[in-house]
């Protein structure tokens, strides 16, 4: 009973906690798929403010630039410093993807709310390859609809993601 009480208290505390962003606009799989080590992140699409708030709460030293969700395209600023990650809250309009990928530093990541990597049509795969991106493994087995790609030098393969599996042990030795 004490464990259950503590669990309920903690769930209520977390549900009532104030956050610097609107939780209803947050795309959690997109934030979780963005590498925490990225120091400069560029976001385009809906929910940019919530994405920036959530990412900065996990990685407070990062710089997140929110471009908005204007379908005509955004001011990307090609002559600015390169970024380590580009997060797209929706599939970008034609012509915007190459401009956003142009801002990526070598080894940078593209994380997009798009079809999953397994369901990516050949046209999308060709477009990403033409932009110098290699598709990465899926975020999870459930198929969250988040696509990940990495900007690599020609002939290089993306590093495998770190897989962590938690195994619970009994409180007493078996």
């Amino acid at each position: 009973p004490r464990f259950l009480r503590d669990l309920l208290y903690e769930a209520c505390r977390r549900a009532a906690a104030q956050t610097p962003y609107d939780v209803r606009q947050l795309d959690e799989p997109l934030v979780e798929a963005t590498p925490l080590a990225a120091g400069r992140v560029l976001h385009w699409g809906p929910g940019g403010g919530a994405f920036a708030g959530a990412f900065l709460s996990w990685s407070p030293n990062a710089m997140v630039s929110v471009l908005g969700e204007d379908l005509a395209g955004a001011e990307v600023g090609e002559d600015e410093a390169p970024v380590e990650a580009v997060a797209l809250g929706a599939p970008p309009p034609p012509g915007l993807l190459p401009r956003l990928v142009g801002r990526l530093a070598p080894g940078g990541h593209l994380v997009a709310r798009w079809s999953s990597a397994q369901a990516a049509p050949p046209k999308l795969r060709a477009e990403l390859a033409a932009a110098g991106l290699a598709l990465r493994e899926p975020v999870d087995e459930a198929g969250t609809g988040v696509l990940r790609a990495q900007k690599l030098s020609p002939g290089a393969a993306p590093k495998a993601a770190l897989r962590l599996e938690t195994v619970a042990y009994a409180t007493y030795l078996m």
Side-chain angles (χ1 to χ4, degrees):
R2 183 178 299 160
F3 173 73
L4 183 58
R5 183 197 69 196
D6 292 344
L7 183 68
L8 287 173
Y9 281 158
E10 180 64 18
C12 291
R13 185 190 67 75
R14 288 183 183 191
Q18 295 292 326
T19 59
Y21 52 89
D22 186 1
V23 178
R24 295 171 297 189
Q25 294 181 355
L26 180 62
D27 187 355
E28 276 188 75
L30 188 68
V31 178
E32 291 172 356
T34 306
L36 287 176
R40 295 177 54 91
V41 179
L42 191 64
H43 182 277
W44 179 88
F51 175 89
F55 191 80
L56 289 173
S57 69
W58 294 350
S59 182
N61 294 329
M63 293 177 52
V64 179
S65 300
V66 177
L67 298 176
E69 55 184 304
D70 181 13
L71 291 178
E75 291 300 320
V76 177
E78 286 86 1
D79 51 335
E80 293 181 20
V83 297
E84 286 86 25
V86 172
L88 304 175
L96 182 60
L97 183 63
R99 290 176 33 214
L100 291 171
V101 171
R103 288 285 312 276
L104 271 176
H109 298 268
L110 172 77
V111 181
R113 174 55 77 178
W114 222 326
S115 61
S116 62
Q118 305 96 318
K123 180 181 177 186
L124 174 59
R125 291 176 181 272
E127 187 178 353
L128 292 173
L133 297 171
L135 281 175
R136 299 210 47 197
E137 64 279 342
V139 175
D140 64 6
E141 287 13 333
T144 58
V146 175
L147 176 127
R148 294 191 306 172
Q150 189 172 9
K151 188 175 186 179
L152 301 170
S153 57
K159 293 180 183 175
L162 174 65
R163 295 278 183 199
L164 179 66
E165 186 173 330
T166 305
V167 179
Y169 290 97
T171 55
Y172 297 101
L173 294 175
M174 293 180 230

